[in-house]
Structure formats: structure tokens, C-alpha cells
Amino acid sequence: MATRDDTKDQSKAADEAARTARTVTDEAARVGEQSARAGADMARRGTETARDVFQAGLNTANETFQRMSDQVTNVLGFNGPQAEELARR
């Protein structure tokens, strides 16, 4: 048969186990939240980097096309008054 002291000791041990379990659970939740935030931040940065690379590619293509267009216009003589006349026709 258990004595009062044994029952008190068991109750204290159960309380301490419950506190430890809460502490571990709280810490695990905190680490999980930090991990989720870090993952979201990495995804956002990756998306921004991809967008920037895509935009740079579009800008390069646009500049290249503009230079080619200017060169064709110059070679064919479609500049100045001649270009205006051609546009009217």
C-alpha cells in the first residue's frame, strides 16, 4: 500500500513530467514556426531572383531587337524624310 509520501512524490514527478512535456512542446512549436518562416523567405527570394533574371532577359532581347531594327532601317535607307514618305505611302 502506498503512503502519503509516496503519493506526494508520484504527484510531484507527474507535475514535473507535465512541465517538461509542455516546455519541449513549446520549443518544438517555436522551432517549427522559425523553420516555416525561413522556408517562406527562401521561396520569396527565389521568386524575386527568377523575376529579376526574366526581366533582364526581356530587356536584353528588347535592346537587341531595337539595334537590329535600327540597322535594317539604316541599311535600307528608311530614315529621315525618306522614312516619313514611306510611312505616308
Side-chain angles (χ1 to χ4, degrees):
M1 184 182 222
T3 65
R4 281 189 187 171
D5 289 336
D6 289 341
T7 304
K8 273 185 173 180
D9 289 343
Q10 289 174 352
S11 179
K12 284 182 183 180
D15 289 345
E16 183 62 30
R19 276 193 295 275
T20 300
R22 277 193 300 274
T23 301
V24 169
T25 301
D26 291 346
E27 186 63 19
R30 187 185 64 77
V31 169
E33 184 179 345
Q34 287 177 342
S35 296
R37 285 183 183 164
D41 190 45
M42 287 175 55
R44 181 186 54 78
R45 286 186 208 170
T47 300
E48 288 174 357
T49 300
R51 182 197 65 215
D52 292 346
V53 168
F54 184 72
Q55 185 65 46
L58 285 176
N59 290 342
T60 300
N62 185 42
E63 290 169 7
T64 301
F65 182 76
Q66 185 63 46
R67 273 183 281 177
M68 287 173 38
S69 175
D70 291 345
Q71 289 173 355
V72 167
T73 299
N74 288 336
V75 167
L76 296 177
F78 297 135
N79 55 4
Q82 296 167 344
E84 291 175 16
E85 179 62 28
L86 181 63
R88 276 195 290 275
R89 289 183 187 180

